[in-house]
Amino acid sequence: MSMSICLRCLKRALILPELSSSRAAFSTSASLHANPTKKKAVVPKTLAKAGRTLRLAKNKRVVTARPPAAGERKALRKKVVLSNTNALEVPGLAELSTEIVRDGAQLKALEGKVVGFGAETAEALRCLEGFKPGQGWHLFRRPAALLRKDGVEMGEAIQRAREEKTVERRVVFGDKGSGKSVLLLQSMAMPYLQGWVVIHFPEARDITNAQTPYEPVQTADGKTAYVQPRYIASILSNIAAANRALLNDLRITQQHNLPIPLQSNISLTRLVELGANDAQLAWPIWQAFLSEITAPSQPEKQGGLRPPVFVGMDGVDHIMRMSAYLDTDMKPIHAHDLAIAQSFTAMLSGKTHLANGGMIMAATSGSTRPSVPTLDHFLARAYALGHAEPLKAMRDALLEQTKVTVYDGDLAPLEQLNTSAMHPEVAAQVLELKYGIHHLQENDASLEKLQGFLQRFKVRLPKAAVWDAYLPKDENVVAVMESGVRVTKVAGLSKDEARSVMEYYARSGMLRGSPVTEGLVGEKWTLAGGGIIGELEKGTVAIPSRQLCATKGRPRLASAPAGILDFPFDSAQIRDNITALFMASIMTVVLCLV
Amino acid sequence: MVFLFGVNFPEQRLVSRALQTFYGIGPNVCQRLMARFTIHNTAKIGDLGDRQTNDLAAELSTMTLENDLRRQVVDNIKRLRDMGTYRGRRHAMGLPVRGQRTRTQIMTARKLNKIDRRG
């Protein structure tokens, strides 16, 4: 019999009613109701305002090269290159040698000429750090410098000190780039060649800028001095390296109270090296060394001969003020309380006497000048008096001479005064005196008028040379400068000296483009501010080595010749080029017409 | 690496920089410390002798630094609050304490002025 329902309906009826849910096919509502998705808390993203945040990511430096070794950057900065193989050898360049230095006449004959340093001398000066990195030694074949009037004068002073066993004490000042350091260098070379002991403090700024360790010590008179062991050790090592040959033959003659035992016949080189190698021994050994070389010479003892001593310091103005060090009570320390500076100033002021004669020379700094009003006053005063006193003497002489007529006085010395080298206020007074007398002579004035004029004429010092009584004076500096120190100003070159230097540049192949004519010399001399040699060098040959090296921290060859990098056009060449073009155009026009 | 007051510093680190990493030592205190023990401005930790390091460590241990100082600051604020002062109330509310304007510019006060001030 057939069924009443179809198979499909049977199948559907057999499914349990709860299983046959009322959900529709392909619907997800049920499952959604069963498992509702948790609503996530909507956290608002703190959108940074555009342009108001610090985006450090963009400034990330990618370090690809290896970092420099410890001390490499400093060595590069302080490197001095003395030779440039691309420069030409200057034939017939005179060399500073022992016989020339000993003979005053030969030295005078070399005045105004460029004189080279011998290989041994250059090596010794390099050990003493006499050559400075910012100077132009890297441009020429061998180190050479112009022997100026001041240099010859120093040579004569050195001879005098040697013969009379006196001590010459000098301070040299001048504008930036005027040649003070090179004058000091030449003044070091001359005693070195004559067998003196040469001591040099290359940068006095390093003594006072609080970048080297310091320790307090009690001095004999109960005061506190501050010793700088590392700095003194470096100076001792320079002395040992430069004066090795000389000090090897000298032996100690005194008993010294040192922390370590000393052999009784130790050579001075060995003594100095002991101090150079151990910073803790540096100060006692410095004192021992100083007492040895300033002691009287004992030629009968072996190694007891004592030559004269030359002590030089560059940048002495840094030690004529407060240093950057602080004492234990947070008060600044005066530079004269630093033991090594005290040593030098004692020698400069004559407190420490050099028994065998010698020379103490201090050069001020032009480019790193700190504020030293007391020292500046003394330098300005000495400079002004150096011209004002002869003027006063001339006025007095004229007063004596003009007894009968107005035309009696000898005006020759007055006419010969070089007013360009004087302080402007003093120069004005020279002209006032000269033209006053001329005016009276031309107008046939009476003798009384002339005498009256001469008597009323007072030589006044410039304002800078007169101390303002309301400013405090630095007593330490006063004590040094009033002890009979001779002050010299290094001024600009004369035109002849400038010509000589430029000829040397041209013969070295570094001054290319135009021959050295009077016009060129005059032009460069004027542009150099009246012959300041540093500016002259910059204007003619040099791109200083620091500029060559300072290209985004990547050092370039400091010995690259400036000739290749130098812009070769100067006014003379431009003028020649324009003239040539003009002539060529004229010729073309003429030829066309013809 | 030199051990100073519980912290190991690399030898190339400047002494002034190393000292100022401690809470309670700023530029002035650092300069005073270095002057007391005659340490120069650009001294590195590796340059210091043993005696100087020990003296420095001894001096640092006598000073109030780090957590002691932080505790002191929090105690001061708590004391102000407990006394019922104006300043204490301002700290509690997180508002400026020193009489500044409150209409605007109080972000720093909101961040820092708390009873349990972080230091």
PDB file of all heavy atoms in Angstrom, chain A residues 200 229-243 247 269 271-279 281-287 289-290:
ATOM      1  N   HIS A 200     110.751  76.572  26.739  1.00  0.00           N
ATOM      2  CA  HIS A 200     109.676  77.316  26.078  1.00  0.00           C
ATOM      3  C   HIS A 200     108.331  76.850  26.613  1.00  0.00           C
ATOM      4  O   HIS A 200     108.097  75.647  26.759  1.00  0.00           O
ATOM      5  CB  HIS A 200     109.754  77.085  24.564  1.00  0.00           C
ATOM      6  CG  HIS A 200     108.720  77.828  23.791  1.00  0.00           C
ATOM      7  ND1 HIS A 200     108.541  79.188  23.886  1.00  0.00           N
ATOM      8  CD2 HIS A 200     107.810  77.408  22.884  1.00  0.00           C
ATOM      9  CE1 HIS A 200     107.571  79.557  23.082  1.00  0.00           C
ATOM     10  NE2 HIS A 200     107.110  78.521  22.452  1.00  0.00           N
ATOM     11  N   PRO A 229     100.931  68.904  37.821  1.00  0.00           N
ATOM     12  CA  PRO A 229     101.928  67.862  37.524  1.00  0.00           C
ATOM     13  C   PRO A 229     101.968  67.474  36.045  1.00  0.00           C
ATOM     14  O   PRO A 229     103.045  67.367  35.466  1.00  0.00           O
ATOM     15  CB  PRO A 229     101.481  66.684  38.374  1.00  0.00           C
ATOM     16  CG  PRO A 229     100.519  67.218  39.356  1.00  0.00           C
ATOM     17  CD  PRO A 229      99.926  68.439  38.770  1.00  0.00           C
ATOM     18  N   ARG A 230     100.790  67.278  35.439  1.00  0.00           N
ATOM     19  CA  ARG A 230     100.797  66.790  34.058  1.00  0.00           C
ATOM     20  C   ARG A 230     101.394  67.827  33.110  1.00  0.00           C
ATOM     21  O   ARG A 230     102.151  67.501  32.196  1.00  0.00           O
ATOM     22  CB  ARG A 230      99.371  66.449  33.634  1.00  0.00           C
ATOM     23  CG  ARG A 230      99.332  65.424  32.528  1.00  0.00           C
ATOM     24  CD  ARG A 230      97.971  65.246  31.958  1.00  0.00           C
ATOM     25  NE  ARG A 230      97.095  64.504  32.841  1.00  0.00           N
ATOM     26  CZ  ARG A 230      95.807  64.324  32.584  1.00  0.00           C
ATOM     27  NH1 ARG A 230      95.267  64.820  31.507  1.00  0.00           N
ATOM     28  NH2 ARG A 230      95.063  63.646  33.423  1.00  0.00           N
ATOM     29  N   TYR A 231     101.059  69.101  33.338  1.00  0.00           N
ATOM     30  CA  TYR A 231     101.575  70.159  32.465  1.00  0.00           C
ATOM     31  C   TYR A 231     103.086  70.270  32.600  1.00  0.00           C
ATOM     32  O   TYR A 231     103.809  70.373  31.610  1.00  0.00           O
ATOM     33  CB  TYR A 231     100.898  71.491  32.812  1.00  0.00           C
ATOM     34  CG  TYR A 231     101.359  72.617  31.930  1.00  0.00           C
ATOM     35  CD1 TYR A 231     100.877  72.761  30.639  1.00  0.00           C
ATOM     36  CD2 TYR A 231     102.315  73.542  32.374  1.00  0.00           C
ATOM     37  CE1 TYR A 231     101.310  73.774  29.819  1.00  0.00           C
ATOM     38  CE2 TYR A 231     102.755  74.557  31.563  1.00  0.00           C
ATOM     39  CZ  TYR A 231     102.254  74.667  30.291  1.00  0.00           C
ATOM     40  OH  TYR A 231     102.697  75.673  29.476  1.00  0.00           O
ATOM     41  N   ILE A 232     103.567  70.229  33.860  1.00  0.00           N
ATOM     42  CA  ILE A 232     105.014  70.363  34.074  1.00  0.00           C
ATOM     43  C   ILE A 232     105.741  69.182  33.453  1.00  0.00           C
ATOM     44  O   ILE A 232     106.830  69.317  32.879  1.00  0.00           O
ATOM     45  CB  ILE A 232     105.326  70.486  35.577  1.00  0.00           C
ATOM     46  CG1 ILE A 232     104.645  71.733  36.132  1.00  0.00           C
ATOM     47  CG2 ILE A 232     106.813  70.578  35.820  1.00  0.00           C
ATOM     48  CD1 ILE A 232     104.766  71.882  37.619  1.00  0.00           C
ATOM     49  N   ALA A 233     105.129  67.989  33.551  1.00  0.00           N
ATOM     50  CA  ALA A 233     105.758  66.810  32.939  1.00  0.00           C
ATOM     51  C   ALA A 233     105.877  66.984  31.433  1.00  0.00           C
ATOM     52  O   ALA A 233     106.903  66.615  30.827  1.00  0.00           O
ATOM     53  CB  ALA A 233     104.946  65.552  33.265  1.00  0.00           C
ATOM     54  N   SER A 234     104.853  67.574  30.804  1.00  0.00           N
ATOM     55  CA  SER A 234     104.925  67.758  29.346  1.00  0.00           C
ATOM     56  C   SER A 234     106.001  68.779  28.983  1.00  0.00           C
ATOM     57  O   SER A 234     106.727  68.605  27.997  1.00  0.00           O
ATOM     58  CB  SER A 234     103.565  68.174  28.785  1.00  0.00           C
ATOM     59  OG  SER A 234     103.299  69.510  29.069  1.00  0.00           O
ATOM     60  N   ILE A 235     106.138  69.833  29.789  1.00  0.00           N
ATOM     61  CA  ILE A 235     107.194  70.825  29.517  1.00  0.00           C
ATOM     62  C   ILE A 235     108.569  70.173  29.674  1.00  0.00           C
ATOM     63  O   ILE A 235     109.481  70.393  28.863  1.00  0.00           O
ATOM     64  CB  ILE A 235     107.058  72.029  30.474  1.00  0.00           C
ATOM     65  CG1 ILE A 235     105.764  72.782  30.201  1.00  0.00           C
ATOM     66  CG2 ILE A 235     108.241  72.968  30.373  1.00  0.00           C
ATOM     67  CD1 ILE A 235     105.744  73.523  28.898  1.00  0.00           C
ATOM     68  N   LEU A 236     108.710  69.357  30.716  1.00  0.00           N
ATOM     69  CA  LEU A 236     110.001  68.688  30.933  1.00  0.00           C
ATOM     70  C   LEU A 236     110.326  67.760  29.780  1.00  0.00           C
ATOM     71  O   LEU A 236     111.491  67.655  29.357  1.00  0.00           O
ATOM     72  CB  LEU A 236     109.968  67.905  32.256  1.00  0.00           C
ATOM     73  CG  LEU A 236     110.071  68.754  33.520  1.00  0.00           C
ATOM     74  CD1 LEU A 236     109.854  67.889  34.748  1.00  0.00           C
ATOM     75  CD2 LEU A 236     111.415  69.453  33.619  1.00  0.00           C
ATOM     76  N   SER A 237     109.325  67.084  29.238  1.00  0.00           N
ATOM     77  CA  SER A 237     109.609  66.168  28.138  1.00  0.00           C
ATOM     78  C   SER A 237     110.033  66.956  26.896  1.00  0.00           C
ATOM     79  O   SER A 237     110.917  66.532  26.148  1.00  0.00           O
ATOM     80  CB  SER A 237     108.415  65.262  27.861  1.00  0.00           C
ATOM     81  OG  SER A 237     107.608  65.752  26.872  1.00  0.00           O
ATOM     82  N   ASN A 238     109.434  68.139  26.681  1.00  0.00           N
ATOM     83  CA  ASN A 238     109.865  68.994  25.567  1.00  0.00           C
ATOM     84  C   ASN A 238     111.308  69.438  25.750  1.00  0.00           C
ATOM     85  O   ASN A 238     112.102  69.432  24.806  1.00  0.00           O
ATOM     86  CB  ASN A 238     108.983  70.249  25.480  1.00  0.00           C
ATOM     87  CG  ASN A 238     107.608  69.938  24.947  1.00  0.00           C
ATOM     88  OD1 ASN A 238     107.334  68.813  24.564  1.00  0.00           O
ATOM     89  ND2 ASN A 238     106.753  70.934  24.936  1.00  0.00           N
ATOM     90  N   ILE A 239     111.642  69.821  26.992  1.00  0.00           N
ATOM     91  CA  ILE A 239     113.013  70.295  27.271  1.00  0.00           C
ATOM     92  C   ILE A 239     114.011  69.174  27.011  1.00  0.00           C
ATOM     93  O   ILE A 239     115.065  69.371  26.397  1.00  0.00           O
ATOM     94  CB  ILE A 239     113.135  70.775  28.731  1.00  0.00           C
ATOM     95  CG1 ILE A 239     112.285  72.018  28.957  1.00  0.00           C
ATOM     96  CG2 ILE A 239     114.574  71.080  29.085  1.00  0.00           C
ATOM     97  CD1 ILE A 239     112.185  72.422  30.405  1.00  0.00           C
ATOM     98  N   ALA A 240     113.658  67.972  27.485  1.00  0.00           N
ATOM     99  CA  ALA A 240     114.574  66.842  27.305  1.00  0.00           C
ATOM    100  C   ALA A 240     114.781  66.552  25.829  1.00  0.00           C
ATOM    101  O   ALA A 240     115.905  66.348  25.363  1.00  0.00           O
ATOM    102  CB  ALA A 240     114.012  65.601  28.007  1.00  0.00           C
ATOM    103  N   ALA A 241     113.703  66.563  25.052  1.00  0.00           N
ATOM    104  CA  ALA A 241     113.811  66.236  23.635  1.00  0.00           C
ATOM    105  C   ALA A 241     114.616  67.283  22.881  1.00  0.00           C
ATOM    106  O   ALA A 241     115.427  66.954  22.016  1.00  0.00           O
ATOM    107  CB  ALA A 241     112.410  66.117  23.028  1.00  0.00           C
ATOM    108  N   ALA A 242     114.419  68.565  23.211  1.00  0.00           N
ATOM    109  CA  ALA A 242     115.074  69.623  22.438  1.00  0.00           C
ATOM    110  C   ALA A 242     116.530  69.814  22.818  1.00  0.00           C
ATOM    111  O   ALA A 242     117.376  70.081  21.977  1.00  0.00           O
ATOM    112  CB  ALA A 242     114.318  70.937  22.618  1.00  0.00           C
ATOM    113  N   ASN A 243     116.830  69.689  24.127  1.00  0.00           N
ATOM    114  CA  ASN A 243     118.178  69.997  24.595  1.00  0.00           C
ATOM    115  C   ASN A 243     118.984  68.761  24.917  1.00  0.00           C
ATOM    116  O   ASN A 243     119.924  68.819  25.713  1.00  0.00           O
ATOM    117  CB  ASN A 243     118.090  70.856  25.872  1.00  0.00           C
ATOM    118  CG  ASN A 243     117.434  72.185  25.617  1.00  0.00           C
ATOM    119  OD1 ASN A 243     118.013  73.041  24.956  1.00  0.00           O
ATOM    120  ND2 ASN A 243     116.231  72.356  26.117  1.00  0.00           N
ATOM    121  N   LEU A 247     122.277  68.726  27.309  1.00  0.00           N
ATOM    122  CA  LEU A 247     122.102  68.317  28.705  1.00  0.00           C
ATOM    123  C   LEU A 247     122.777  66.989  29.015  1.00  0.00           C
ATOM    124  O   LEU A 247     123.012  66.673  30.187  1.00  0.00           O
ATOM    125  CB  LEU A 247     120.607  68.242  29.057  1.00  0.00           C
ATOM    126  CG  LEU A 247     119.854  69.562  29.041  1.00  0.00           C
ATOM    127  CD1 LEU A 247     118.387  69.327  29.331  1.00  0.00           C
ATOM    128  CD2 LEU A 247     120.416  70.532  30.048  1.00  0.00           C
ATOM    129  N   THR A 269     119.911  65.379  31.444  1.00  0.00           N
ATOM    130  CA  THR A 269     118.886  64.778  30.570  1.00  0.00           C
ATOM    131  C   THR A 269     118.113  63.721  31.338  1.00  0.00           C
ATOM    132  O   THR A 269     116.881  63.649  31.287  1.00  0.00           O
ATOM    133  CB  THR A 269     119.519  64.104  29.345  1.00  0.00           C
ATOM    134  OG1 THR A 269     120.522  64.945  28.824  1.00  0.00           O
ATOM    135  CG2 THR A 269     118.498  63.823  28.285  1.00  0.00           C
ATOM    136  N   LEU A 271     117.782  63.429  34.517  1.00  0.00           N
ATOM    137  CA  LEU A 271     116.980  64.065  35.567  1.00  0.00           C
ATOM    138  C   LEU A 271     115.662  64.561  34.992  1.00  0.00           C
ATOM    139  O   LEU A 271     114.579  64.318  35.549  1.00  0.00           O
ATOM    140  CB  LEU A 271     117.776  65.232  36.166  1.00  0.00           C
ATOM    141  CG  LEU A 271     117.085  66.069  37.229  1.00  0.00           C
ATOM    142  CD1 LEU A 271     116.969  65.292  38.510  1.00  0.00           C
ATOM    143  CD2 LEU A 271     117.833  67.365  37.469  1.00  0.00           C
ATOM    144  N   VAL A 272     115.759  65.254  33.862  1.00  0.00           N
ATOM    145  CA  VAL A 272     114.545  65.829  33.259  1.00  0.00           C
ATOM    146  C   VAL A 272     113.613  64.727  32.787  1.00  0.00           C
ATOM    147  O   VAL A 272     112.391  64.818  32.930  1.00  0.00           O
ATOM    148  CB  VAL A 272     114.938  66.780  32.110  1.00  0.00           C
ATOM    149  CG1 VAL A 272     113.725  67.242  31.356  1.00  0.00           C
ATOM    150  CG2 VAL A 272     115.681  67.973  32.650  1.00  0.00           C
ATOM    151  N   GLU A 273     114.192  63.651  32.255  1.00  0.00           N
ATOM    152  CA  GLU A 273     113.335  62.555  31.774  1.00  0.00           C
ATOM    153  C   GLU A 273     112.600  61.873  32.919  1.00  0.00           C
ATOM    154  O   GLU A 273     111.461  61.422  32.750  1.00  0.00           O
ATOM    155  CB  GLU A 273     114.183  61.532  31.022  1.00  0.00           C
ATOM    156  CG  GLU A 273     114.402  61.931  29.586  1.00  0.00           C
ATOM    157  CD  GLU A 273     115.345  61.005  28.868  1.00  0.00           C
ATOM    158  OE1 GLU A 273     115.979  60.151  29.526  1.00  0.00           O
ATOM    159  OE2 GLU A 273     115.457  61.139  27.643  1.00  0.00           O
ATOM    160  N   LEU A 274     113.234  61.814  34.089  1.00  0.00           N
ATOM    161  CA  LEU A 274     112.550  61.231  35.245  1.00  0.00           C
ATOM    162  C   LEU A 274     111.276  62.011  35.548  1.00  0.00           C
ATOM    163  O   LEU A 274     110.227  61.435  35.847  1.00  0.00           O
ATOM    164  CB  LEU A 274     113.466  61.283  36.482  1.00  0.00           C
ATOM    165  CG  LEU A 274     114.507  60.187  36.617  1.00  0.00           C
ATOM    166  CD1 LEU A 274     115.432  60.504  37.764  1.00  0.00           C
ATOM    167  CD2 LEU A 274     113.843  58.844  36.837  1.00  0.00           C
ATOM    168  N   GLY A 275     111.395  63.337  35.461  1.00  0.00           N
ATOM    169  CA  GLY A 275     110.226  64.171  35.698  1.00  0.00           C
ATOM    170  C   GLY A 275     109.197  64.055  34.605  1.00  0.00           C
ATOM    171  O   GLY A 275     107.993  64.106  34.849  1.00  0.00           O
ATOM    172  N   ALA A 276     109.683  63.887  33.359  1.00  0.00           N
ATOM    173  CA  ALA A 276     108.753  63.805  32.230  1.00  0.00           C
ATOM    174  C   ALA A 276     107.936  62.519  32.276  1.00  0.00           C
ATOM    175  O   ALA A 276     106.774  62.501  31.866  1.00  0.00           O
ATOM    176  CB  ALA A 276     109.530  63.885  30.927  1.00  0.00           C
ATOM    177  N   ASN A 277     108.549  61.446  32.788  1.00  0.00           N
ATOM    178  CA  ASN A 277     107.846  60.162  32.766  1.00  0.00           C
ATOM    179  C   ASN A 277     106.888  59.992  33.928  1.00  0.00           C
ATOM    180  O   ASN A 277     105.945  59.209  33.840  1.00  0.00           O
ATOM    181  CB  ASN A 277     108.864  59.007  32.786  1.00  0.00           C
ATOM    182  CG  ASN A 277     109.677  58.999  31.508  1.00  0.00           C
ATOM    183  OD1 ASN A 277     109.224  59.472  30.481  1.00  0.00           O
ATOM    184  ND2 ASN A 277     110.882  58.489  31.586  1.00  0.00           N
ATOM    185  N   ASP A 278     107.140  60.663  35.027  1.00  0.00           N
ATOM    186  CA  ASP A 278     106.286  60.485  36.200  1.00  0.00           C
ATOM    187  C   ASP A 278     105.750  61.834  36.641  1.00  0.00           C
ATOM    188  O   ASP A 278     106.496  62.682  37.114  1.00  0.00           O
ATOM    189  CB  ASP A 278     107.100  59.849  37.330  1.00  0.00           C
ATOM    190  CG  ASP A 278     106.222  59.438  38.498  1.00  0.00           C
ATOM    191  OD1 ASP A 278     105.025  59.785  38.500  1.00  0.00           O
ATOM    192  OD2 ASP A 278     106.736  58.766  39.406  1.00  0.00           O
ATOM    193  N   ALA A 279     104.413  62.008  36.520  1.00  0.00           N
ATOM    194  CA  ALA A 279     103.822  63.315  36.829  1.00  0.00           C
ATOM    195  C   ALA A 279     103.994  63.680  38.301  1.00  0.00           C
ATOM    196  O   ALA A 279     104.122  64.854  38.637  1.00  0.00           O
ATOM    197  CB  ALA A 279     102.347  63.319  36.449  1.00  0.00           C
ATOM    198  N   LEU A 281     106.523  63.231  40.144  1.00  0.00           N
ATOM    199  CA  LEU A 281     107.872  63.754  40.400  1.00  0.00           C
ATOM    200  C   LEU A 281     108.122  65.055  39.661  1.00  0.00           C
ATOM    201  O   LEU A 281     109.159  65.684  39.844  1.00  0.00           O
ATOM    202  CB  LEU A 281     108.915  62.738  39.936  1.00  0.00           C
ATOM    203  CG  LEU A 281     108.980  61.427  40.666  1.00  0.00           C
ATOM    204  CD1 LEU A 281     109.990  60.533  39.971  1.00  0.00           C
ATOM    205  CD2 LEU A 281     109.398  61.634  42.099  1.00  0.00           C
ATOM    206  N   ALA A 282     107.183  65.444  38.782  1.00  0.00           N
ATOM    207  CA  ALA A 282     107.467  66.547  37.863  1.00  0.00           C
ATOM    208  C   ALA A 282     107.822  67.844  38.589  1.00  0.00           C
ATOM    209  O   ALA A 282     108.807  68.494  38.243  1.00  0.00           O
ATOM    210  CB  ALA A 282     106.277  66.776  36.935  1.00  0.00           C
ATOM    211  N   TRP A 283     107.044  68.218  39.586  1.00  0.00           N
ATOM    212  CA  TRP A 283     107.303  69.506  40.248  1.00  0.00           C
ATOM    213  C   TRP A 283     108.620  69.519  41.017  1.00  0.00           C
ATOM    214  O   TRP A 283     109.436  70.421  40.840  1.00  0.00           O
ATOM    215  CB  TRP A 283     106.117  69.882  41.132  1.00  0.00           C
ATOM    216  CG  TRP A 283     106.341  71.103  41.965  1.00  0.00           C
ATOM    217  CD1 TRP A 283     106.340  71.168  43.318  1.00  0.00           C
ATOM    218  CD2 TRP A 283     106.630  72.432  41.505  1.00  0.00           C
ATOM    219  NE1 TRP A 283     106.602  72.444  43.730  1.00  0.00           N
ATOM    220  CE2 TRP A 283     106.786  73.244  42.636  1.00  0.00           C
ATOM    221  CE3 TRP A 283     106.775  73.010  40.247  1.00  0.00           C
ATOM    222  CZ2 TRP A 283     107.068  74.599  42.556  1.00  0.00           C
ATOM    223  CZ3 TRP A 283     107.063  74.361  40.163  1.00  0.00           C
ATOM    224  CH2 TRP A 283     107.206  75.146  41.307  1.00  0.00           C
ATOM    225  N   PRO A 284     108.908  68.506  41.867  1.00  0.00           N
ATOM    226  CA  PRO A 284     110.213  68.548  42.538  1.00  0.00           C
ATOM    227  C   PRO A 284     111.378  68.525  41.554  1.00  0.00           C
ATOM    228  O   PRO A 284     112.398  69.182  41.767  1.00  0.00           O
ATOM    229  CB  PRO A 284     110.238  67.286  43.413  1.00  0.00           C
ATOM    230  CG  PRO A 284     108.906  66.706  43.355  1.00  0.00           C
ATOM    231  CD  PRO A 284     108.085  67.399  42.359  1.00  0.00           C
ATOM    232  N   ILE A 285     111.227  67.776  40.457  1.00  0.00           N
ATOM    233  CA  ILE A 285     112.321  67.716  39.487  1.00  0.00           C
ATOM    234  C   ILE A 285     112.444  69.034  38.734  1.00  0.00           C
ATOM    235  O   ILE A 285     113.546  69.473  38.400  1.00  0.00           O
ATOM    236  CB  ILE A 285     112.134  66.503  38.547  1.00  0.00           C
ATOM    237  CG1 ILE A 285     112.484  65.265  39.342  1.00  0.00           C
ATOM    238  CG2 ILE A 285     112.956  66.637  37.295  1.00  0.00           C
ATOM    239  CD1 ILE A 285     112.600  64.013  38.555  1.00  0.00           C
ATOM    240  N   TRP A 286     111.328  69.712  38.482  1.00  0.00           N
ATOM    241  CA  TRP A 286     111.408  71.032  37.842  1.00  0.00           C
ATOM    242  C   TRP A 286     112.206  71.989  38.727  1.00  0.00           C
ATOM    243  O   TRP A 286     113.073  72.717  38.259  1.00  0.00           O
ATOM    244  CB  TRP A 286     109.999  71.557  37.582  1.00  0.00           C
ATOM    245  CG  TRP A 286     109.944  73.007  37.240  1.00  0.00           C
ATOM    246  CD1 TRP A 286     109.666  74.032  38.077  1.00  0.00           C
ATOM    247  CD2 TRP A 286     110.203  73.594  35.957  1.00  0.00           C
ATOM    248  NE1 TRP A 286     109.722  75.234  37.417  1.00  0.00           N
ATOM    249  CE2 TRP A 286     110.046  74.989  36.115  1.00  0.00           C
ATOM    250  CE3 TRP A 286     110.540  73.091  34.709  1.00  0.00           C
ATOM    251  CZ2 TRP A 286     110.229  75.867  35.047  1.00  0.00           C
ATOM    252  CZ3 TRP A 286     110.711  73.982  33.657  1.00  0.00           C
ATOM    253  CH2 TRP A 286     110.560  75.351  33.832  1.00  0.00           C
ATOM    254  N   GLN A 287     111.884  71.952  40.031  1.00  0.00           N
ATOM    255  CA  GLN A 287     112.605  72.843  40.947  1.00  0.00           C
ATOM    256  C   GLN A 287     114.091  72.498  40.974  1.00  0.00           C
ATOM    257  O   GLN A 287     114.947  73.394  40.969  1.00  0.00           O
ATOM    258  CB  GLN A 287     112.038  72.704  42.363  1.00  0.00           C
ATOM    259  CG  GLN A 287     110.687  73.350  42.517  1.00  0.00           C
ATOM    260  CD  GLN A 287     110.113  73.104  43.890  1.00  0.00           C
ATOM    261  OE1 GLN A 287     109.973  71.962  44.320  1.00  0.00           O
ATOM    262  NE2 GLN A 287     109.753  74.163  44.568  1.00  0.00           N
ATOM    263  N   PHE A 289     115.851  71.018  38.606  1.00  0.00           N
ATOM    264  CA  PHE A 289     116.445  71.377  37.317  1.00  0.00           C
ATOM    265  C   PHE A 289     116.706  72.877  37.247  1.00  0.00           C
ATOM    266  O   PHE A 289     117.779  73.324  36.821  1.00  0.00           O
ATOM    267  CB  PHE A 289     115.498  70.933  36.196  1.00  0.00           C
ATOM    268  CG  PHE A 289     115.945  71.310  34.822  1.00  0.00           C
ATOM    269  CD1 PHE A 289     117.113  70.775  34.285  1.00  0.00           C
ATOM    270  CD2 PHE A 289     115.215  72.201  34.054  1.00  0.00           C
ATOM    271  CE1 PHE A 289     117.543  71.125  33.009  1.00  0.00           C
ATOM    272  CE2 PHE A 289     115.637  72.550  32.786  1.00  0.00           C
ATOM    273  CZ  PHE A 289     116.798  72.018  32.265  1.00  0.00           C
ATOM    274  N   LEU A 290     115.742  73.650  37.694  1.00  0.00           N
ATOM    275  CA  LEU A 290     115.885  75.110  37.649  1.00  0.00           C
ATOM    276  C   LEU A 290     117.040  75.564  38.528  1.00  0.00           C
ATOM    277  O   LEU A 290     117.851  76.418  38.143  1.00  0.00           O
ATOM    278  CB  LEU A 290     114.578  75.746  38.122  1.00  0.00           C
ATOM    279  CG  LEU A 290     114.170  77.025  37.426  1.00  0.00           C
ATOM    280  CD1 LEU A 290     114.079  76.810  35.941  1.00  0.00           C
ATOM    281  CD2 LEU A 290     112.831  77.514  37.963  1.00  0.00           C
TER     282      LEU A 290
END
